[in-house]
Amino acid sequence: MHIVQCEQQRHAEAILAILNDAILNSTALYDYKARTMEDMAEWFETKAKGDFPVIGIENDSGELMGFGTYGTFRARPAYKYSVEHSVYVDARFRGQGLGKRLLQEVVSAARGQEFHVIVGGIDAANTVSIRLHEKLGFTHCGTIRQAGFKFGRWLDLVFYQLILDTPAKPVDG
């Protein structure tokens, strides 16, 4: 296994498959409809414009096993040091510690880009993700009850955050 910086041409189809599995079969994403390759083009463009990494793990055959990324937390300027992250592992490769490795890489990248807070929105029933975040130092910072509705039921959304020691000299404006 090795860490890679995901590229649209090389990884968009694999990321699309991972995301669509999460959309159609879980509450990891509060979407109803599968995404398209056009959606992925826009997604990668947004990541590039924001200078947000898309970090992947490939196996020795070059197959993408999972990815992690982050993006704008909120569009207002004073949130410029906060990002919201996501980590997804292909269902075939879960249980191998890839989520932990990817989340560690995401945290490292955010620190390297001088962000201060990393936020994760997690479905409250996703105890595996919650435990992972807690193991890596994230703390629960809020719950929005019945924030989503999917698969015929209301979903609670919990927020976890990690406060980093960066930036060294934050500035207004």
Side-chain angles (χ1 to χ4, degrees):
M1 292 185 297
H2 55 280
I3 299 295
V4 297
Q5 295 302 313
C6 292
E7 302 167 358
Q8 182 177 346
Q9 266 198 313
R10 184 164 171 221
H11 298 104
E13 284 186 34
I15 290 173
L16 179 64
I18 292 168
L19 289 173
N20 282 341
D21 179 63
I23 291 167
L24 299 174
N25 300 303
S26 79
T27 56
L29 276 166
Y30 286 14
D31 286 342
Y32 296 119
K33 295 181 182 178
R35 296 183 185 176
T36 65
M37 284 303 288
E38 291 78 22
D39 295 328
M40 292 309 303
E42 185 178 315
W43 185 83
F44 269 100
E45 184 179 318
T46 299
K47 296 296 178 186
K49 282 183 182 176
D51 196 27
F52 299 128
V54 180
I55 303 162
I57 291 184
E58 291 181 341
N59 61 20
D60 292 337
S61 302
E63 188 174 19
L64 189 70
M65 302 168 75
F67 72 95
T69 187
Y70 50 81
T72 303
F73 172 64
R74 294 208 165 186
R76 302 285 186 252
Y79 292 110
K80 67 183 175 183
Y81 294 115
S82 298
V83 290
E84 185 171 359
H85 76 281
S86 51
V87 171
Y88 295 95
V89 176
D90 186 307
R92 298 171 296 157
F93 303 112
R94 292 184 188 142
Q96 300 178 36
L98 301 179
K100 179 180 179 182
R101 178 76 190 278
L102 284 166
L103 188 49
Q104 289 169 326
E105 292 290 331
V106 164
V107 169
S108 178
R111 184 176 280 118
Q113 286 187 295
E114 298 277 307
F115 288 110
H116 185 63
V117 173
I118 305 173
V119 176
I122 307 167
D123 183 77
N126 191 343
T127 57
V128 171
S129 182
I130 290 169
R131 281 195 308 269
L132 170 63
H133 282 78
E134 289 173 345
K135 282 181 186 175
L136 294 182
F138 284 76
T139 57
H140 180 259
C141 58
T143 300
I144 302 175
R145 304 251 181 248
Q146 300 184 6
F149 187 82
K150 188 174 179 182
F151 302 132
R153 66 185 191 276
W154 291 108
L155 306 174
D156 294 346
L157 181 64
V158 295
F159 285 96
Y160 277 75
Q161 72 176 50
L162 181 67
I163 298 175
L164 303 175
D165 57 359
T166 50
K169 295 182 179 185
V171 295
D172 287 329

